[in-house]
Amino acid sequence: MELIVDEVHCGPTELAWNDRMSRLALPALRPIRERRVVIVAPHPDDEVLGAGGLIQRALRDKQIVEIIAVTDGEASHSNAPVQPKELAALRERESMLALQRLGWNRPSITRLHLPDGNVRGHLRELNEALADFLLPDDLCVAPWRSDGHPDHDATGEAAVRASRGVGARSLSYLVWAWHWADPEGADIPWAQSERLSLGRRSQARKRWSSLAFQTQIRPLGPTVAEAPILPAPLLRRFWRSYEIFVDDCGDNL
Ligand SMILES: [Zn+2]
């Protein structure tokens, strides 16, 4: 599937998603009893967009939180004049700032430096890195393996496989699925999904945190190639009062 994002292709409205979500009445996210919460992010911003509320919850509950940054996000504007190295450095700083805005003074981030846009070509490396990192009493939180972006799908697949291998529990977060899925349809496995409701403070912190990703939400320059990856209608999806997590048991892997 090709993800198209521009002024015409903004995906379903927030009204449509919120309406569907209120009718679905998903069960609340089960309490997290694991010692560590390991958030796997294919690009620097996914950790906050997909799980910024969960990170705050885990920090509040004095759990150990770890971020695994799969790529440096150097290819988000591959046809723009900005140098990939420069973009990677900017995005690294944005991610650090965003996590600090969630109330995390010294974020712990392990960077794997896999190539942005070609995680699937390095799936073995990713599998091994995750299997090395994860412990049986961890909760691993990664993108849903059908999220719709190739790096997200590959990362999600590796996370479920590595978690199963070590006996850790895994949950999946949604980022791009909100863009392409049909709110009235069954693209997202609702029967396996749980909802984390965010309080007003947590929601506000997540919104403030998401604004740290300036390279993604503002144009880098005047050309089409420098247009925002997350224009306002998309960014607002991550300002909701809830996050949804799919409990993916990885049966068909
Ligand atoms: Zn991403």
Side-chain angles (χ1 to χ4, degrees):
M1 178 200 332
E2 198 195 349
L3 287 167
I4 306 172
V5 178
D6 57 31
E7 280 160 21
V8 184
H9 301 91
C10 286
T13 63
E14 278 303 276
L15 196 64
W17 277 122
N18 290 332
D19 179 49
R20 170 73 162 158
M21 221 49 68
S22 64
R23 278 178 285 124
L24 274 169
L26 296 176
L29 184 72
R30 275 178 292 160
I32 298 169
R33 311 231 181 267
E34 286 79 2
R35 201 175 64 89
R36 292 196 308 180
V37 178
V38 179
I39 313 279
V40 189
H43 311 107
D45 64 7
D46 293 312
E47 68 283 16
V48 168
L49 302 179
L54 184 76
I55 292 172
Q56 293 181 70
R57 162 76 71 92
L59 292 170
R60 190 202 67 191
D61 292 348
K62 305 277 185 279
Q63 271 143 338
I64 299 167
V65 183
E66 297 280 352
I67 306 289
I68 308 270
V70 176
T71 79
D72 298 333
E74 71 278 9
S76 65
H77 296 74
S78 47
N79 296 315
V82 62
Q83 291 299 310
K85 255 190 162 167
E86 191 189 338
L87 192 52
L90 287 169
R91 297 193 69 182
E92 188 178 322
R93 285 204 291 276
E94 288 173 355
S95 171
M96 188 60 85
L97 175 62
L99 291 167
Q100 286 169 339
R101 286 182 178 182
L102 290 181
W104 193 2
N105 293 335
R106 280 193 293 274
S108 175
I109 308 177
T110 302
R111 298 188 183 280
L112 304 183
H113 304 296
L114 295 186
D116 184 2
N118 188 23
V119 173
R120 189 161 293 282
H122 295 258
L123 207 49
R124 227 174 87 181
E125 269 170 88
L126 178 56
N127 275 323
E128 284 172 8
L130 293 177
D132 270 357
F133 194 91
L134 288 171
L135 299 168
D137 54 354
D138 284 345
L139 171 66
C140 177
V141 186
W144 181 37
R145 59 193 162 101
S146 302
D147 196 40
H149 181 298
D151 286 346
H152 286 220
D153 299 358
T155 299
E157 200 179 303
V160 171
R161 186 170 284 132
S163 301
R164 273 169 50 138
V166 302
R169 184 161 78 99
S170 65
L171 283 177
S172 307
Y173 59 81
L174 307 169
V175 175
W176 289 105
W178 299 119
H179 186 64
W180 61 262
D182 173 10
E184 292 304 317
D187 299 314
I188 297 169
W190 301 120
Q192 293 161 258
S193 299
E194 297 174 0
R195 171 190 170 121
L196 173 65
S197 294
L198 311 189
R200 280 176 61 184
R201 180 181 291 268
S202 172
Q203 193 183 355
R205 268 198 158 157
K206 184 175 173 182
R207 187 167 62 235
W208 171 232
S209 167
S210 74
L211 296 174
F213 301 113
Q214 288 285 307
T215 62
Q216 307 299 296
I217 64 179
R218 303 260 180 264
L220 292 183
T223 66
V224 176
E226 295 163 297
I229 306 300
L230 286 170
L234 271 73
L235 182 65
R236 274 198 289 274
R237 291 195 188 119
F238 305 102
W239 295 354
R240 295 173 185 163
S241 60
Y242 55 85
E243 288 173 353
I244 302 299
F245 295 93
V246 180
D247 191 348
D248 186 348
C249 45
D251 277 348
N252 51 351
L253 265 178

